Amino acid sequence: MGARPLIRPVGRACGRHSRSPPPTWQHGGVTATLFPQVPDSADAVLDGLDPEQREVATALSGPVCVLAGAGTGKTRAITHRIAYGVRSGVLQPASVLAVTFTNRAAGEMRGRLRQLGAGGVQARTFHSAGLRQLQYFWPKAVGGEVPRLVERKVQLVAEAAARCRVRLDRNELRDVTGEIEWSKVTQTVPEDYAPAAAKAGREAPRDPAEIGLIYGMYEQLKRDRGVIDFEDVLLLTVGVLQDRHDIAETVRRQYQHFVVDEYQDVSPLQQRLLELWLGDRDNLCVVGDASQTIYSFTGATPDHLLNFRTRHPRATVVKLIRDYRSTPQVVHLANGLLSQARGRAAEHRLELVSQRPAGPEPRYAEFADEPAEAEGTARRVRELIDSGVPASEIAILYRINAQSEVYEQALADAGVPYQLRGAERFFERPEVREATLLLRGAARAGGHSDPQLADADDVPSQVRAVLGTRGWTAEPPAGSGAVRDRWESLAALVRLAEDFVRARPAATLADLVTELGERAAAQHAPTVEGVTLASLHAAKGLEWDAVFLVGLAEGVMPITYAKTDEQVEEERRLLYVGVTRARHDLSLSWALSRTPGGRATRRPTRFLNGLRPGSVARPGGGGAPALTGGTAGVERGGLRRRRGPARCRVCGKTLTDAGEIKLMRCEDCPCDLDEALHERLRDWRAGQAGLLGQPAFCVFTDKTLLAIAEAVPGTESELAGISGVGRRKLDKFGADVLALCAGREPASADASGVTSEDAPEETPEK
């Protein structure tokens, strides 16, 4: 892809123009006019709109529902609608209230309205509009001034927990605070929290009964101190409008017309406030896309958007499907993702049609491990920058913030500037700073002189012991949220220690601490314009010329704690949001193993089945046909051999669990175990382990032995097809195992040639 000029004409980006447009500049996906000219008439406001956008702009009365796909110019459509109404005299600027969800979006909307000659329109977030009304009407409704807003909610939650005799660490405190916020936006009172959380399928960070008690005490403390929190702003505004009909009528006389952007993200509380603003009127325009609902964990629900026509049978419904952002190749993949979706939101999906010239096919890359994936991504980023693509027009998007560290390092090694969005730099995270201080203290204390390191024989073990005092465990915690993010950060340090010692076997804990300091210092460079690193959630509403979607392996996408069908579908929508951030270049990648040399047990995300080259849709999954039209094959980095998806030999289901992959069947599927053979294999393994002077799992793990007894291989190739039987083990033990499977006595094993490379290929299983 060649260099792109900084200043370029908009051209036909959003429909036909009757006059040459002014030049524009783009940065971070926001297009701004260098010398904006206010349209000279109402009709001129409509210039440049496509037929569907024009239909939105001219529908000025009654309920209007705009179903707008990604990149279809929804903000353009609704701002021109407001401006056309104002400029034509149908709407009075002061009578229009436009609401959205972020200050950035509200500010952008106000700016566009000013450029269109409709500067008197109120464009605010729900909270900003509610607070403004609350401050104005509080003296009349209650008397006195509005209670002070709590500056730091978590401090009050911490005090509430202490009064309930519940001890919360910093991360639990953040998660419990999030549960309280969810309860309030879903209008759930403290005594109803536990059943409501269970019904919603939420992974509570503590016992739900405890959270209910803390929530109740938190509300009591606020009342005692005469303070309110952010959610109370909406709750109190709703309360005032419900109880004081005179005040509600005053608000309704002020605002005659309402516009709601990102309507798929409204919470029940925001919907209630909107209904009170409206009263019995229906001059409401909503804009949204159910396929971009990715914030249900905060209380957002697309139900209000999907039920709009039921509540408003006379509604004008307009679909925006002309995608002006992405190339046909990117749009084809986005459509393919949604074609496999299930559930109610999927029934209302929009089939996008790209309006841009053809571009390159999406790239698919498979890597041996996560560091190799990061290095390969950094190399490709470097190539794009060298070809003229601005670093600020490139993004690397991942599922969770803990994935950023390996990409930060890879970009730094490649000399590529970067910036983090929606997260702190890895070494600036509180848990990472705390862990670094603890490791430095342990290194100064000197190894075994520290009691907590008494049983730690190597640097990784010492790191695990130190971090274990701050919540790290060998297994990740259940659920999502801050506890999981904290664990991921500490786990990244453990992996870093393992990689460091693998590269420098003689290294000490002090050497590792020095390495951590050097890495932190290198990443504390002054902030510069660079490649954006962001989570998929943080990327919503943004766009770039080139996007890299990384870590697209089962267990990460969808995330492991997405258990229900709806949770899995939200993960699919999250990937759809990521795909639709790309204008021109799109790369998708995954790693078969977490660490170098690890077992290649991971598989690409199920969401790409039937879409990536060489894959097929799972039966019954509503799969789409494979991409055609010159799609290149999957690139591979650091791989020794091609591995296809593992499938259960009983039911045919794709397997992702390492233990199930070894058995080549689902854990609960019936098996044909030859118990006598299994016993002979166990006895033989014990003898071999004795000869080797090593644990039994160094010969074969329990799961591998069980898989052999179930499969009863008759040839070397059949034995080699069992997960856990590598080349070295096949050469060393293959003849004996095949003899046992054939009912013969094995030849005497000669263990004299066994080296440390022969074992273990796998980790022990219990």
Side-chain angles (χ1 to χ4, degrees):
M1 183 168 64
R4 291 172 173 76
L6 177 63
I7 298 178
R8 50 190 169 183
V10 174
R12 299 165 61 89
C14 284
R16 297 181 178 177
H17 291 267
S18 62
R19 59 174 65 90
S20 297
T24 67
W25 64 275
Q26 286 196 340
H27 173 69
V30 176
T31 303
T33 306
L34 290 176
F35 305 105
Q37 295 180 348
V38 176
D40 55 15
S41 67
D43 288 341
V45 171
L46 302 178
D47 288 347
L49 300 181
D50 68 28
E52 293 78 26
Q53 293 170 344
R54 181 181 285 258
E55 184 179 358
V56 173
T58 55
L60 296 176
S61 62
V64 178
C65 179
V66 183
L67 302 176
T72 58
K74 67 179 179 64
T75 305
R76 178 181 178 85
I78 59 175
T79 52
H80 281 67
R81 178 182 187 272
I82 295 170
Y84 179 69
V86 169
R87 298 292 299 275
S88 64
V90 176
L91 304 176
Q92 295 300 312
S95 72
V96 180
L97 177 60
V99 288
T100 186
F101 285 82
T102 67
N103 289 322
R104 179 183 62 81
E108 180 184 351
M109 192 178 293
R110 287 193 296 270
R112 292 197 188 195
L113 289 170
R114 280 195 300 272
Q115 292 175 12
L116 293 170
V121 173
Q122 292 289 316
R124 296 180 176 274
T125 65
F126 270 101
H127 284 87
S128 172
L131 181 60
R132 193 163 184 260
Q133 293 175 18
L134 196 63
Q135 290 171 332
Y136 184 82
F137 291 110
W138 187 269
K140 180 179 180 180
V142 181
E145 296 183 354
V146 177
R148 175 176 59 87
L149 275 170
V150 174
E151 293 182 2
R152 297 207 58 188
K153 184 186 300 178
V154 290
Q155 290 182 344
L156 204 57
V157 175
E159 184 176 344
R163 293 203 178 192
C164 293
R165 300 175 184 255
V166 177
R167 192 184 201 89
L168 300 177
D169 64 28
R170 183 175 63 246
N171 294 281
E172 289 176 319
L173 181 59
R174 192 175 77 182
D175 286 343
V176 170
T177 301
E179 290 302 293
I180 292 174
E181 291 171 348
W182 171 82
S183 299
K184 300 184 78 165
V185 300
T186 56
Q187 302 177 81
T188 302
V189 295
E191 53 268 28
D192 291 340
Y193 168 77
K199 183 178 180 180
R202 296 185 70 81
E203 290 276 358
R206 294 288 297 239
D207 179 85
E210 285 185 340
I211 295 177
L213 287 174
I214 296 170
Y215 177 17
M217 179 57 69
Y218 168 77
E219 292 297 308
Q220 182 62 51
L221 287 174
K222 284 196 296 143
R223 286 192 294 270
D224 292 345
R225 296 173 188 181
V227 296
I228 60 175
D229 61 25
F230 205 52
E231 290 69 41
D232 289 331
V233 170
L234 298 188
L235 283 166
L236 290 171
T237 305
V238 165
V240 168
L241 296 178
Q242 284 182 160
D243 295 342
R244 293 291 299 268
H245 298 290
D246 57 331
I247 292 176
E249 286 304 316
T250 301
V251 172
R252 291 166 192 160
R253 283 195 299 271
Q254 171 70 45
Y255 296 115
Q256 305 288 324
H257 199 98
F258 297 87
V259 177
V260 183
D261 193 12
E262 302 288 2
Y263 193 54
Q264 78 278 353
D265 289 334
V266 295
S267 69
L269 179 57
Q270 290 164 332
Q271 175 64 22
R272 180 59 184 144
L273 178 57
L274 179 62
E275 291 168 354
L276 288 166
W277 283 339
L278 275 167
D280 58 2
R281 301 166 300 170
D282 61 3
N283 284 327
L284 169 66
C285 175
V286 300
V287 188
D289 180 8
S291 296
Q292 296 189 68
T293 304
I294 59 173
Y295 295 110
S296 65
F297 60 92
T298 67
T301 171
D303 289 347
H304 306 300
L305 175 66
L306 299 178
N307 294 335
F308 190 83
R309 280 172 287 185
T310 301
R311 296 195 311 274
H312 302 281
R314 297 191 308 109
T316 299
V317 179
V318 183
K319 294 183 179 180
L320 301 183
I321 60 171
R322 301 176 196 243
D323 188 320
Y324 299 101
R325 175 188 299 160
S326 304
T327 63
Q329 288 74 14
V330 173
V331 168
H332 181 54
L333 176 57
N335 287 337
L337 277 173
L338 291 189
S339 73
Q340 302 186 46
R342 299 177 179 178
R344 191 169 179 226
E347 295 171 1
H348 297 265
R349 60 179 174 265
L350 299 169
E351 187 84 9
L352 300 179
V353 180
S354 176
Q355 306 299 296
R356 293 196 55 182
E361 294 288 347
R363 291 170 173 253
Y364 298 85
E366 187 173 87
F367 295 90
D369 51 68
E370 289 180 1
E373 183 181 9
E375 291 166 9
T377 301
R379 282 195 302 271
R380 176 61 183 154
V381 167
R382 181 78 266 173
E383 292 171 3
L384 287 174
I385 293 174
D386 291 342
S387 73
V389 182
S392 59
E393 287 296 346
I394 302 173
I396 298 174
L397 308 181
Y398 35 76
R399 176 61 181 83
I400 58 175
N401 288 326
Q403 293 172 267
S404 74
E405 192 270 342
V406 67
Y407 290 93
E408 293 178 54
Q409 187 60 50
L411 291 174
D413 290 343
V416 175
Y418 64 87
Q419 54 183 336
L420 282 168
R421 183 180 183 88
E424 300 161 298
R425 291 176 182 268
F426 179 79
F427 286 102
E428 293 177 359
R429 296 172 189 165
E431 62 269 21
V432 174
R433 290 202 305 267
E434 180 186 31
T436 302
L437 288 173
L438 290 172
L439 291 171
R440 183 177 295 119
R444 286 174 179 169
H448 294 286
S449 62
D450 189 331
Q452 68 184 8
L453 304 181
D455 298 324
D457 297 326
D458 54 25
V459 173
S461 298
Q462 292 171 345
V463 172
R464 294 187 199 101
V466 171
L467 300 188
T469 66
R470 290 299 183 270
W472 181 83
T473 57
E475 294 296 323
S480 58
V483 172
R484 178 76 182 214
D485 287 344
R486 175 184 172 85
W487 183 90
E488 293 285 0
S489 295
L490 298 180
L493 288 176
V494 172
R495 293 196 295 270
L496 186 62
E498 294 169 347
D499 294 342
F500 184 65
V501 172
R502 189 177 295 114
R504 295 176 53 184
T508 65
L509 185 59
D511 295 330
L512 175 65
V513 170
T514 300
E515 172 73 7
L516 291 175
E518 291 174 354
R519 285 175 175 243
Q523 294 175 10
H524 284 172
T527 301
V528 295
E529 286 299 320
V531 173
T532 299
L533 291 173
S535 70
L536 289 165
H537 282 101
K540 179 74 165 64
L542 302 174
E543 59 187 78
W544 297 268
D545 282 347
V547 170
F548 292 81
L549 301 177
V550 299
L552 301 183
E554 285 288 318
V556 181
M557 175 57 68
I559 201 73
T560 51
Y561 47 78
K563 303 294 186 184
T564 68
D565 289 344
E566 180 48 41
Q567 288 170 340
V568 170
E569 286 305 312
E570 181 147 337
E571 293 287 299
R572 187 194 304 276
R573 295 194 294 269
L574 189 57
L575 181 57
Y576 171 79
V577 167
V579 167
T580 55
R581 299 309 95 194
R583 298 193 196 104
H584 190 268
D585 287 86
L586 177 64
S587 297
L588 306 95
S589 64
W590 58 90
L592 298 183
S593 173
R594 191 190 72 194
T595 57
R599 300 290 295 176
T601 56
R602 290 181 172 178
R603 293 293 177 266
T605 173
R606 71 192 75 171
F607 299 145
L608 296 179
N609 287 345
L611 299 173
R612 61 183 173 84
S615 69
V616 294
R618 183 181 299 177
L627 292 170
T628 58
T631 301
V634 176
E635 301 173 5
R636 296 178 182 85
L639 294 177
R640 296 180 182 175
R641 63 176 183 258
R642 169 75 175 163
R643 290 177 179 265
R647 299 187 183 277
C648 175
R649 52 189 165 83
V650 180
C651 69
K653 175 185 173 183
T654 300
L655 304 175
T656 57
D657 177 77
E660 292 182 343
I661 290 172
K662 288 183 184 298
L663 295 177
M664 291 305 292
R665 65 170 173 81
C666 301
E667 200 73 59
D668 53 357
C669 277
C671 67
D672 299 318
L673 174 65
D674 186 331
E675 295 185 3
L677 173 59
H678 188 227
E679 193 62 35
R680 290 198 304 275
L681 286 168
R682 290 177 65 88
D683 291 342
W684 167 82
R685 182 181 67 169
Q688 291 296 310
L691 290 172
L692 293 168
Q694 293 179 334
F697 74 81
C698 291
V699 181
F700 288 116
T701 66
D702 288 347
K703 279 282 173 64
T704 300
L705 216 62
L706 189 62
I708 294 171
E710 289 185 9
V712 193
T715 66
E716 187 175 280
S717 62
E718 290 176 356
L719 179 59
I722 295 174
S723 180
V725 182
R727 183 72 254 175
R728 291 192 302 271
K729 292 190 178 183
L730 190 64
D731 293 342
K732 187 62 60 180
F733 305 123
D736 280 6
V737 171
L738 289 173
L740 287 165
C741 290
R744 302 191 306 270
E745 286 298 317
S748 299
D750 178 10
S752 61
V754 176
T755 67
S756 60
E757 293 183 351
D758 291 301
E761 284 190 18
E762 311 161 80
T763 55
E765 296 162 292
K766 296 179 181 178

